[in-house]
Structure formats: structure tokens, C-alpha cells
Amino acid sequence: MTLPGNRPRWLTFDCYGTLIQWDEGLLAAMDRILSAKGGDIDQPAFIATYDRHEHALEEERPHRSFGDVSAIALERAMGEFGLAFTPDDAEILTSSIGRMPPFPEVVETLGRLKAAGFRLAIISNTDDAIIAGNVAQLGGHVDRVITAEQAGAYKPTTQIFHHAWKELGIGMNDLVHICASPHLDLAAARRLGFRTVWVDRGTGRKPLSDYSADAVVPDLEKVPGVLAAAGWI
């Protein structure tokens, strides 16, 4: 697949699952929380329940910080499983997020993209304080970080993307967005029409039935090749 249009000035990225090992880190954090509760808990079912509450809370108004969203979602999920919740459980989760590492190929690839003349930004459903620990692990290659906290809205709403583009001083055609989440980032692209590269890391996340990314890669290392095929590197 060849990316359409002119060479973008900016490459924007989803953070968790695209650059940062979200699934692996979430499993480890939930294992730490749930193991302290005792009993035989179906961890995948628990995480699915947590995700359901998290996404529902992100759609509610007024806007809540991601710290509050994750704490409330965790408390509600634990309630469904008959587990006692404490504020320490929420602290384990949020502190674990900021320590989640990048995928092995990410830092080197970001360096290659920066050296090729692209500016790099993250657009993420999180808070500034939480993502700071992740960004610190990205080799200093990221020029801007736009969060749901700054925008007052979460993906897949159009609000966070319009806020990001305003902050970056660009139009929709001045970027390509690189992401791993079909139901957050690609859903927004379907609505707004910006160019996308889907990083399908084989997690089982399904593509949208009525939308196809402009390019699909298995990891970030393949992104420079896609940009080169478009004549941009």
C-alpha cells in the first residue's frame, strides 16, 4: 500500500500499544493488584471488564482526568468480581503505566524518522504526569506530546485531534497518524479523513469493517519503508 498525498511535515503517534508496551504492562499491573486479593481470578475477563468501564467513563461529561478514569474503572471492575478496592490499587495501576517500556524497535525507529526530517508528536488518551515517564524512555526524539488532559477529551472524539492540530499549527493534510487502536484512532480517521498507518502487532484487535488504513505494518520498524515507498525518504 502506498500512502497518498504530499509529504507530511509531522508524524503523529498513538502512545500505548503503538510505542509503549501497553498490553504487557497492563497484564503485569493487574497481576500485581489481583494476586494480592487471593482467589482464582480470570485475568483476561477482568481486564475486559476494566476496559469496558474505562471506555465508558471516557465518553462521559464533564471530562475526568485519566487518573480518575482508571481508578473508577478499576473500582467498578473489582466490584463486579466481588473484590475489595482500595486507593492503593489505583496507585499501583497508574504508577505502573508511566514505567511501561517502549517496544524494542521504537527508539531507534523514531531516531530514523527524526533524522529523515519529520517532526514527531504523540496524541494520547492520558494525563501529562502519567505519560511523562514513558516519553522519557523515547530517546528525546518526540517534539510534542498532546494528551486528553490538555484537550479535555479522549479519542475517538474529534475534539482531541482538532486540539492537537491547532497546537501543532498544522492542517489535517500535513500529517500521517501512526497507531495501533482501530476503535480509537482509526475510528477517528474514518470520521475526519486523515491519513493513517495501522501498526497491527498481532494482538487480536480487529480492523474496522468499513475503514482501511492507508498502510498496515507489523511493527514500527517497517514505517520508514512505507514512507520511503511514498517517496518521502
mmCIF file of all heavy atoms in Angstrom, residues 161-199:
data_model
loop_
_atom_site.group_PDB
_atom_site.id
_atom_site.type_symbol
_atom_site.label_atom_id
_atom_site.label_comp_id
_atom_site.label_asym_id
_atom_site.label_seq_id
_atom_site.Cartn_x
_atom_site.Cartn_y
_atom_site.Cartn_z
ATOM 1 N N PHE A 161 -8.241 15.525 18.403
ATOM 2 C CA PHE A 161 -7.435 15.663 17.193
ATOM 3 C C PHE A 161 -7.410 17.109 16.717
ATOM 4 O O PHE A 161 -6.342 17.637 16.347
ATOM 5 C CB PHE A 161 -7.949 14.730 16.102
ATOM 6 C CG PHE A 161 -7.619 13.291 16.374
ATOM 7 C CD1 PHE A 161 -8.538 12.452 16.970
ATOM 8 C CD2 PHE A 161 -6.367 12.782 16.052
ATOM 9 C CE1 PHE A 161 -8.229 11.128 17.243
ATOM 10 C CE2 PHE A 161 -6.042 11.465 16.318
ATOM 11 C CZ PHE A 161 -6.975 10.631 16.914
ATOM 12 N N HIS A 162 -8.547 17.782 16.734
ATOM 13 C CA HIS A 162 -8.559 19.196 16.348
ATOM 14 C C HIS A 162 -7.690 20.014 17.303
ATOM 15 O O HIS A 162 -6.977 20.936 16.867
ATOM 16 C CB HIS A 162 -9.989 19.722 16.334
ATOM 17 C CG HIS A 162 -10.783 19.310 15.133
ATOM 18 N ND1 HIS A 162 -10.400 19.617 13.844
ATOM 19 C CD2 HIS A 162 -11.939 18.598 15.027
ATOM 20 C CE1 HIS A 162 -11.285 19.133 12.988
ATOM 21 N NE2 HIS A 162 -12.226 18.504 13.682
ATOM 22 N N HIS A 163 -7.746 19.688 18.578
ATOM 23 C CA HIS A 163 -6.894 20.377 19.547
ATOM 24 C C HIS A 163 -5.417 20.148 19.222
ATOM 25 O O HIS A 163 -4.614 21.093 19.238
ATOM 26 C CB HIS A 163 -7.193 19.881 20.961
ATOM 27 C CG HIS A 163 -6.274 20.429 21.999
ATOM 28 N ND1 HIS A 163 -6.454 21.667 22.565
ATOM 29 C CD2 HIS A 163 -5.134 19.917 22.560
ATOM 30 C CE1 HIS A 163 -5.474 21.904 23.423
ATOM 31 N NE2 HIS A 163 -4.666 20.854 23.441
ATOM 32 N N ALA A 164 -5.065 18.900 18.912
ATOM 33 C CA ALA A 164 -3.673 18.583 18.596
ATOM 34 C C ALA A 164 -3.196 19.353 17.370
ATOM 35 O O ALA A 164 -2.098 19.936 17.370
ATOM 36 C CB ALA A 164 -3.520 17.084 18.371
ATOM 37 N N TRP A 165 -4.000 19.364 16.326
ATOM 38 C CA TRP A 165 -3.580 20.045 15.099
ATOM 39 C C TRP A 165 -3.437 21.547 15.323
ATOM 40 O O TRP A 165 -2.531 22.181 14.776
ATOM 41 C CB TRP A 165 -4.568 19.750 13.973
ATOM 42 C CG TRP A 165 -4.716 18.282 13.718
ATOM 43 C CD1 TRP A 165 -3.827 17.286 14.033
ATOM 44 C CD2 TRP A 165 -5.830 17.626 13.108
ATOM 45 N NE1 TRP A 165 -4.310 16.066 13.659
ATOM 46 C CE2 TRP A 165 -5.542 16.234 13.090
ATOM 47 C CE3 TRP A 165 -7.039 18.069 12.573
ATOM 48 C CZ2 TRP A 165 -6.420 15.300 12.555
ATOM 49 C CZ3 TRP A 165 -7.932 17.134 12.040
ATOM 50 C CH2 TRP A 165 -7.610 15.769 12.033
ATOM 51 N N LYS A 166 -4.323 22.121 16.125
ATOM 52 C CA LYS A 166 -4.211 23.547 16.447
ATOM 53 C C LYS A 166 -2.919 23.816 17.207
ATOM 54 O O LYS A 166 -2.200 24.791 16.919
ATOM 55 C CB LYS A 166 -5.418 23.989 17.267
ATOM 56 C CG LYS A 166 -5.399 25.466 17.635
ATOM 57 C CD LYS A 166 -6.638 25.854 18.429
ATOM 58 C CE LYS A 166 -6.592 27.334 18.822
ATOM 59 N NZ LYS A 166 -7.800 27.704 19.618
ATOM 60 N N GLU A 167 -2.610 22.961 18.176
ATOM 61 C CA GLU A 167 -1.395 23.142 18.966
ATOM 62 C C GLU A 167 -0.143 22.976 18.109
ATOM 63 O O GLU A 167 0.869 23.654 18.339
ATOM 64 C CB GLU A 167 -1.374 22.134 20.121
ATOM 65 C CG GLU A 167 -2.369 22.430 21.211
ATOM 66 C CD GLU A 167 -2.064 23.737 21.921
ATOM 67 O OE1 GLU A 167 -0.930 23.908 22.385
ATOM 68 O OE2 GLU A 167 -2.971 24.599 21.981
ATOM 69 N N LEU A 168 -0.186 22.075 17.155
ATOM 70 C CA LEU A 168 0.963 21.843 16.282
ATOM 71 C C LEU A 168 1.041 22.858 15.145
ATOM 72 O O LEU A 168 2.065 22.931 14.453
ATOM 73 C CB LEU A 168 0.904 20.428 15.695
ATOM 74 C CG LEU A 168 0.952 19.273 16.703
ATOM 75 C CD1 LEU A 168 0.807 17.935 15.984
ATOM 76 C CD2 LEU A 168 2.218 19.302 17.539
ATOM 77 N N GLY A 169 -0.026 23.601 14.938
ATOM 78 C CA GLY A 169 -0.047 24.605 13.877
ATOM 79 C C GLY A 169 -0.099 24.005 12.489
ATOM 80 O O GLY A 169 0.506 24.536 11.547
ATOM 81 N N ILE A 170 -0.850 22.912 12.340
ATOM 82 C CA ILE A 170 -0.919 22.211 11.057
ATOM 83 C C ILE A 170 -2.361 21.920 10.677
ATOM 84 O O ILE A 170 -3.262 21.967 11.518
ATOM 85 C CB ILE A 170 -0.129 20.878 11.094
ATOM 86 C CG1 ILE A 170 -0.680 19.955 12.192
ATOM 87 C CG2 ILE A 170 1.357 21.142 11.292
ATOM 88 C CD1 ILE A 170 -0.027 18.583 12.230
ATOM 89 N N GLY A 171 -2.538 21.609 9.402
ATOM 90 C CA GLY A 171 -3.813 21.116 8.925
ATOM 91 C C GLY A 171 -3.793 19.602 8.820
ATOM 92 O O GLY A 171 -2.746 18.963 8.936
ATOM 93 N N MET A 172 -4.943 19.042 8.551
ATOM 94 C CA MET A 172 -5.077 17.588 8.536
ATOM 95 C C MET A 172 -4.187 16.934 7.484
ATOM 96 O O MET A 172 -3.715 15.811 7.671
ATOM 97 C CB MET A 172 -6.543 17.228 8.288
ATOM 98 C CG MET A 172 -6.862 15.760 8.427
ATOM 99 S SD MET A 172 -8.631 15.456 8.230
ATOM 100 C CE MET A 172 -8.847 15.808 6.485
ATOM 101 N N ASN A 173 -3.923 17.621 6.394
ATOM 102 C CA ASN A 173 -3.128 17.042 5.312
ATOM 103 C C ASN A 173 -1.623 17.180 5.535
ATOM 104 O O ASN A 173 -0.838 16.736 4.695
ATOM 105 C CB ASN A 173 -3.519 17.679 3.980
ATOM 106 C CG ASN A 173 -4.952 17.341 3.595
ATOM 107 O OD1 ASN A 173 -5.440 16.249 3.873
ATOM 108 N ND2 ASN A 173 -5.631 18.293 2.976
ATOM 109 N N ASP A 174 -1.248 17.796 6.659
ATOM 110 C CA ASP A 174 0.172 17.981 6.963
ATOM 111 C C ASP A 174 0.733 16.867 7.835
ATOM 112 O O ASP A 174 1.834 17.000 8.374
ATOM 113 C CB ASP A 174 0.390 19.317 7.682
ATOM 114 C CG ASP A 174 0.046 20.514 6.813
ATOM 115 O OD1 ASP A 174 0.323 20.461 5.608
ATOM 116 O OD2 ASP A 174 -0.509 21.492 7.345
ATOM 117 N N LEU A 175 -0.003 15.781 8.019
ATOM 118 C CA LEU A 175 0.426 14.736 8.935
ATOM 119 C C LEU A 175 0.035 13.367 8.416
ATOM 120 O O LEU A 175 -0.844 13.220 7.575
ATOM 121 C CB LEU A 175 -0.190 14.939 10.327
ATOM 122 C CG LEU A 175 -1.731 14.805 10.402
ATOM 123 C CD1 LEU A 175 -2.140 13.427 10.899
ATOM 124 C CD2 LEU A 175 -2.340 15.887 11.235
ATOM 125 N N VAL A 176 0.697 12.358 8.972
ATOM 126 C CA VAL A 176 0.255 10.968 8.904
ATOM 127 C C VAL A 176 0.227 10.468 10.343
ATOM 128 O O VAL A 176 1.183 10.672 11.102
ATOM 129 C CB VAL A 176 1.196 10.096 8.042
ATOM 130 C CG1 VAL A 176 0.871 8.613 8.224
ATOM 131 C CG2 VAL A 176 1.086 10.485 6.574
ATOM 132 N N HIS A 177 -0.873 9.828 10.714
ATOM 133 C CA HIS A 177 -1.038 9.335 12.084
ATOM 134 C C HIS A 177 -0.744 7.841 12.124
ATOM 135 O O HIS A 177 -1.284 7.067 11.316
ATOM 136 C CB HIS A 177 -2.463 9.604 12.572
ATOM 137 C CG HIS A 177 -2.676 9.297 14.022
ATOM 138 N ND1 HIS A 177 -2.018 9.958 15.035
ATOM 139 C CD2 HIS A 177 -3.485 8.388 14.639
ATOM 140 C CE1 HIS A 177 -2.406 9.480 16.204
ATOM 141 N NE2 HIS A 177 -3.289 8.523 15.991
ATOM 142 N N ILE A 178 0.095 7.429 13.064
ATOM 143 C CA ILE A 178 0.556 6.043 13.181
ATOM 144 C C ILE A 178 0.033 5.493 14.494
ATOM 145 O O ILE A 178 0.299 6.052 15.571
ATOM 146 C CB ILE A 178 2.097 5.999 13.113
ATOM 147 C CG1 ILE A 178 2.565 6.584 11.767
ATOM 148 C CG2 ILE A 178 2.611 4.574 13.301
ATOM 149 C CD1 ILE A 178 4.002 7.012 11.747
ATOM 150 N N CYS A 179 -0.714 4.384 14.428
ATOM 151 C CA CYS A 179 -1.476 3.968 15.604
ATOM 152 C C CYS A 179 -1.742 2.470 15.604
ATOM 153 O O CYS A 179 -1.644 1.809 14.576
ATOM 154 C CB CYS A 179 -2.801 4.717 15.651
ATOM 155 S SG CYS A 179 -3.811 4.443 14.161
ATOM 156 N N ALA A 180 -2.110 1.963 16.780
ATOM 157 C CA ALA A 180 -2.409 0.538 16.925
ATOM 158 C C ALA A 180 -3.869 0.255 17.232
ATOM 159 O O ALA A 180 -4.282 -0.901 17.199
ATOM 160 C CB ALA A 180 -1.533 -0.068 18.030
ATOM 161 N N SER A 181 -4.645 1.286 17.557
ATOM 162 C CA SER A 181 -6.020 1.056 18.016
ATOM 163 C C SER A 181 -7.050 1.322 16.923
ATOM 164 O O SER A 181 -7.267 2.480 16.549
ATOM 165 C CB SER A 181 -6.345 1.950 19.213
ATOM 166 O OG SER A 181 -7.718 1.830 19.557
ATOM 167 N N PRO A 182 -7.711 0.280 16.420
ATOM 168 C CA PRO A 182 -8.765 0.520 15.422
ATOM 169 C C PRO A 182 -9.931 1.330 15.974
ATOM 170 O O PRO A 182 -10.442 2.226 15.296
ATOM 171 C CB PRO A 182 -9.210 -0.895 15.027
ATOM 172 C CG PRO A 182 -8.058 -1.772 15.382
ATOM 173 C CD PRO A 182 -7.456 -1.153 16.609
ATOM 174 N N HIS A 183 -10.354 1.020 17.202
ATOM 175 C CA HIS A 183 -11.605 1.595 17.694
ATOM 176 C C HIS A 183 -11.429 2.957 18.347
ATOM 177 O O HIS A 183 -12.417 3.597 18.717
ATOM 178 C CB HIS A 183 -12.287 0.615 18.648
ATOM 179 C CG HIS A 183 -12.757 -0.622 17.951
ATOM 180 N ND1 HIS A 183 -13.872 -0.651 17.154
ATOM 181 C CD2 HIS A 183 -12.225 -1.869 17.873
ATOM 182 C CE1 HIS A 183 -14.042 -1.857 16.636
ATOM 183 N NE2 HIS A 183 -13.043 -2.616 17.055
ATOM 184 N N LEU A 184 -10.199 3.416 18.466
ATOM 185 C CA LEU A 184 -9.955 4.778 18.936
ATOM 186 C C LEU A 184 -9.418 5.626 17.783
ATOM 187 O O LEU A 184 -10.100 6.498 17.270
ATOM 188 C CB LEU A 184 -8.976 4.769 20.113
ATOM 189 C CG LEU A 184 -9.463 4.057 21.379
ATOM 190 C CD1 LEU A 184 -8.371 4.060 22.445
ATOM 191 C CD2 LEU A 184 -10.732 4.703 21.923
ATOM 192 N N ASP A 185 -8.197 5.342 17.338
ATOM 193 C CA ASP A 185 -7.551 6.185 16.331
ATOM 194 C C ASP A 185 -8.131 5.997 14.934
ATOM 195 O O ASP A 185 -8.403 6.977 14.234
ATOM 196 C CB ASP A 185 -6.053 5.894 16.336
ATOM 197 C CG ASP A 185 -5.414 6.233 17.668
ATOM 198 O OD1 ASP A 185 -5.522 5.415 18.606
ATOM 199 O OD2 ASP A 185 -4.823 7.310 17.786
ATOM 200 N N LEU A 186 -8.275 4.750 14.513
ATOM 201 C CA LEU A 186 -8.806 4.542 13.161
ATOM 202 C C LEU A 186 -10.262 4.974 13.057
ATOM 203 O O LEU A 186 -10.703 5.442 12.004
ATOM 204 C CB LEU A 186 -8.640 3.086 12.742
ATOM 205 C CG LEU A 186 -7.198 2.573 12.621
ATOM 206 C CD1 LEU A 186 -7.193 1.167 12.041
ATOM 207 C CD2 LEU A 186 -6.331 3.506 11.795
ATOM 208 N N ALA A 187 -11.005 4.846 14.133
ATOM 209 C CA ALA A 187 -12.393 5.324 14.118
ATOM 210 C C ALA A 187 -12.434 6.832 13.928
ATOM 211 O O ALA A 187 -13.302 7.361 13.219
ATOM 212 C CB ALA A 187 -13.101 4.934 15.412
ATOM 213 N N ALA A 188 -11.493 7.537 14.536
ATOM 214 C CA ALA A 188 -11.426 8.987 14.339
ATOM 215 C C ALA A 188 -11.012 9.321 12.913
ATOM 216 O O ALA A 188 -11.529 10.266 12.300
ATOM 217 C CB ALA A 188 -10.447 9.600 15.336
ATOM 218 N N ALA A 189 -10.079 8.543 12.361
ATOM 219 C CA ALA A 189 -9.648 8.774 10.976
ATOM 220 C C ALA A 189 -10.783 8.542 9.998
ATOM 221 O O ALA A 189 -10.920 9.267 9.003
ATOM 222 C CB ALA A 189 -8.471 7.860 10.648
ATOM 223 N N ARG A 190 -11.593 7.552 10.280
ATOM 224 C CA ARG A 190 -12.762 7.288 9.434
ATOM 225 C C ARG A 190 -13.683 8.512 9.407
ATOM 226 O O ARG A 190 -14.216 8.882 8.356
ATOM 227 C CB ARG A 190 -13.513 6.069 9.968
ATOM 228 C CG ARG A 190 -14.802 5.747 9.237
ATOM 229 C CD ARG A 190 -15.477 4.524 9.845
ATOM 230 N NE ARG A 190 -15.779 4.714 11.258
ATOM 231 C CZ ARG A 190 -16.166 3.738 12.085
ATOM 232 N NH1 ARG A 190 -16.290 2.501 11.633
ATOM 233 N NH2 ARG A 190 -16.441 3.994 13.340
ATOM 234 N N ARG A 191 -13.826 9.142 10.540
ATOM 235 C CA ARG A 191 -14.731 10.289 10.637
ATOM 236 C C ARG A 191 -14.115 11.554 10.032
ATOM 237 O O ARG A 191 -14.811 12.331 9.369
ATOM 238 C CB ARG A 191 -15.063 10.528 12.116
ATOM 239 C CG ARG A 191 -16.116 11.588 12.380
ATOM 240 C CD ARG A 191 -16.415 11.670 13.866
ATOM 241 N NE ARG A 191 -16.760 10.355 14.400
ATOM 242 C CZ ARG A 191 -16.507 9.958 15.648
ATOM 243 N NH1 ARG A 191 -15.922 10.774 16.490
ATOM 244 N NH2 ARG A 191 -16.851 8.760 16.059
ATOM 245 N N LEU A 192 -12.812 11.757 10.266
ATOM 246 C CA LEU A 192 -12.184 13.017 9.880
ATOM 247 C C LEU A 192 -11.456 12.964 8.541
ATOM 248 O O LEU A 192 -11.327 13.982 7.869
ATOM 249 C CB LEU A 192 -11.195 13.435 10.971
ATOM 250 C CG LEU A 192 -11.826 13.918 12.284
ATOM 251 C CD1 LEU A 192 -10.774 14.010 13.384
ATOM 252 C CD2 LEU A 192 -12.501 15.266 12.082
ATOM 253 N N GLY A 193 -10.930 11.801 8.178
ATOM 254 C CA GLY A 193 -10.290 11.650 6.884
ATOM 255 C C GLY A 193 -8.792 11.852 6.860
ATOM 256 O O GLY A 193 -8.216 12.009 5.781
ATOM 257 N N PHE A 194 -8.109 11.835 8.022
ATOM 258 C CA PHE A 194 -6.658 11.988 7.991
ATOM 259 C C PHE A 194 -5.984 10.662 7.641
ATOM 260 O O PHE A 194 -6.551 9.586 7.806
ATOM 261 C CB PHE A 194 -6.121 12.556 9.312
ATOM 262 C CG PHE A 194 -6.489 11.790 10.559
ATOM 263 C CD1 PHE A 194 -5.727 10.723 11.009
ATOM 264 C CD2 PHE A 194 -7.597 12.172 11.317
ATOM 265 C CE1 PHE A 194 -6.050 10.041 12.178
ATOM 266 C CE2 PHE A 194 -7.933 11.497 12.486
ATOM 267 C CZ PHE A 194 -7.153 10.426 12.907
ATOM 268 N N ARG A 195 -4.763 10.740 7.131
ATOM 269 C CA ARG A 195 -4.021 9.565 6.679
ATOM 270 C C ARG A 195 -3.488 8.773 7.871
ATOM 271 O O ARG A 195 -3.065 9.354 8.868
ATOM 272 C CB ARG A 195 -2.863 9.991 5.771
ATOM 273 C CG ARG A 195 -3.321 10.599 4.455
ATOM 274 C CD ARG A 195 -2.150 11.150 3.666
ATOM 275 N NE ARG A 195 -1.574 12.338 4.299
ATOM 276 C CZ ARG A 195 -0.509 12.986 3.831
ATOM 277 N NH1 ARG A 195 0.130 12.538 2.755
ATOM 278 N NH2 ARG A 195 -0.059 14.061 4.439
ATOM 279 N N THR A 196 -3.498 7.432 7.717
ATOM 280 C CA THR A 196 -3.097 6.590 8.834
ATOM 281 C C THR A 196 -2.214 5.432 8.392
ATOM 282 O O THR A 196 -2.328 4.918 7.280
ATOM 283 C CB THR A 196 -4.330 5.983 9.542
ATOM 284 O OG1 THR A 196 -5.119 5.262 8.578
ATOM 285 C CG2 THR A 196 -5.174 7.046 10.212
ATOM 286 N N VAL A 197 -1.350 5.026 9.317
ATOM 287 C CA VAL A 197 -0.639 3.755 9.244
ATOM 288 C C VAL A 197 -1.049 2.965 10.476
ATOM 289 O O VAL A 197 -0.884 3.436 11.605
ATOM 290 C CB VAL A 197 0.890 3.945 9.230
ATOM 291 C CG1 VAL A 197 1.598 2.589 9.258
ATOM 292 C CG2 VAL A 197 1.318 4.753 8.008
ATOM 293 N N TRP A 198 -1.599 1.788 10.257
ATOM 294 C CA TRP A 198 -2.022 0.935 11.366
ATOM 295 C C TRP A 198 -0.893 -0.034 11.716
ATOM 296 O O TRP A 198 -0.440 -0.798 10.858
ATOM 297 C CB TRP A 198 -3.294 0.161 11.001
ATOM 298 C CG TRP A 198 -3.787 -0.745 12.097
ATOM 299 C CD1 TRP A 198 -3.697 -0.532 13.440
ATOM 300 C CD2 TRP A 198 -4.456 -1.999 11.939
ATOM 301 N NE1 TRP A 198 -4.268 -1.567 14.138
ATOM 302 C CE2 TRP A 198 -4.737 -2.486 13.232
ATOM 303 C CE3 TRP A 198 -4.839 -2.747 10.831
ATOM 304 C CZ2 TRP A 198 -5.385 -3.705 13.445
ATOM 305 C CZ3 TRP A 198 -5.492 -3.958 11.044
ATOM 306 C CH2 TRP A 198 -5.760 -4.427 12.335
ATOM 307 N N VAL A 199 -0.468 0.008 12.966
ATOM 308 C CA VAL A 199 0.536 -0.928 13.472
ATOM 309 C C VAL A 199 -0.214 -2.117 14.073
ATOM 310 O O VAL A 199 -0.698 -2.052 15.204
ATOM 311 C CB VAL A 199 1.453 -0.265 14.516
ATOM 312 C CG1 VAL A 199 2.543 -1.241 14.969
ATOM 313 C CG2 VAL A 199 2.087 1.002 13.942
#
